[in-house]
């Protein structure tokens, strides 16, 4: 809308649609957030993601390393997340329905983002240079890490092929 005043000044009024800005903010706010990456927290969050998504949904996992983390860690975290979502899925999720990608480094902390249908569903933050630890969880148990066949599917127990 343009209003012309008598003394020659033109004032332009613009209406901003704030709903699109709010939608953009909502896309960047994860539904679930894991601030303290520990085996039970990670496993529960990934199981919740699996239960509320369809097996045919495409899941995109984006790894963001902290500024000083080792580059190979991005692949290890994404591998563990993908393996968990396929191996523990109650819906016969296919590995091909999970895409992994590396994002920009973060100056503070490393994290994984999980997108489903274009929406950020889950973000998991990590202590510096730590893998994504998922079930089977070994803290406080007699069983030693990497001793079982299933535990060897994940890093740091996975053997290089």
């Amino acid at each position: 809308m343009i209003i012309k005043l008598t003394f020659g000044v033109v004032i332009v009024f613009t209406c901003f649609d704030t709903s699109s800005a709010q939608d953009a903010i909502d896309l960047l706010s994860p539904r679930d957030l894991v601030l303290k990456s520990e085996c039970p927290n990670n496993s529960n969050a990934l199981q919740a993601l699996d239960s509320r998504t369809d097996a045919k949904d495409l899941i995109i996992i984006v790894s963001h390393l902290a500024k000083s983390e080792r580059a190979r860690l991005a692949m290890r975290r994404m591998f563990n997340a993908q393996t968990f979502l396929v191996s523990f899925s109650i819906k016969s999720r296919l590995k091909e329905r999970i895409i992994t990608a590396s994002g920009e480094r973060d100056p503070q902390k490393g994290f994984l983002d999980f997108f489903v249908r274009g929406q950020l569903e889950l973000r998991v933050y990590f202590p510096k240079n730590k893998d994504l630890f998922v079930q089977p969880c070994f803290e406080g148990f007699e069983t030693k890490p990497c001793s079982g066949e299933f535990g060897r599917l994940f890093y740091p127990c996975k053997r290089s092929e």
Side-chain angles (χ1 to χ4, degrees), residues 130-144:
K130 296 295 182 190
D131 283 310
L132 171 70
F133 294 107
V134 291
Q135 285 183 343
C137 302
F138 296 102
E139 299 93 28
F141 295 102
E142 296 297 321
T143 309
K144 293 182 180 179

Side-chain angles (χ1 to χ4, degrees), residues 45-158:
L46 288 170
Q47 285 174 338
L49 177 70
D50 180 56
S51 68
R52 71 173 174 259
T53 58
D54 190 84
K56 294 179 183 176
D57 283 339
L58 183 67
I59 298 176
I60 300 172
I61 305 170
V62 181
S63 179
H64 297 269
L65 293 171
K67 185 177 180 181
S68 60
E69 287 186 311
R70 300 181 315 260
R72 185 160 166 72
L73 197 54
M75 182 278 307
R76 290 169 61 123
R77 288 173 178 165
M78 291 183 295
F79 177 88
N80 283 0
Q82 183 181 44
T83 300
F84 184 90
L85 287 170
V86 170
S87 300
F88 273 100
S89 178
I90 56 175
K91 302 174 181 177
S92 301
R93 191 175 301 278
L94 297 175
K95 185 177 180 179
E96 294 76 23
R97 302 301 303 162
I98 302 172
I99 295 174
T100 59
S102 293
E104 294 181 8
R105 286 184 179 260
D106 186 81
Q108 306 275 310
K109 289 188 133 206
F111 59 95
L112 287 179
D113 279 339
F114 296 79
F115 292 89
V116 181
R117 287 179 242 108
Q119 176 71 38
L120 179 56
E121 290 288 324
L122 172 62
R123 177 172 286 169
V124 179
Y125 284 100
F126 297 96
K128 184 178 177 184
N129 288 320
K130 296 295 182 190
D131 283 310
L132 171 70
F133 294 107
V134 291
Q135 285 183 343
C137 302
F138 296 102
E139 299 93 28
F141 295 102
E142 296 297 321
T143 309
K144 293 182 180 179
C146 309
S147 62
E149 182 179 329
F150 195 75
R152 287 190 291 255
L153 293 175
F154 302 100
Y155 287 102
C157 303
K158 180 177 173 21

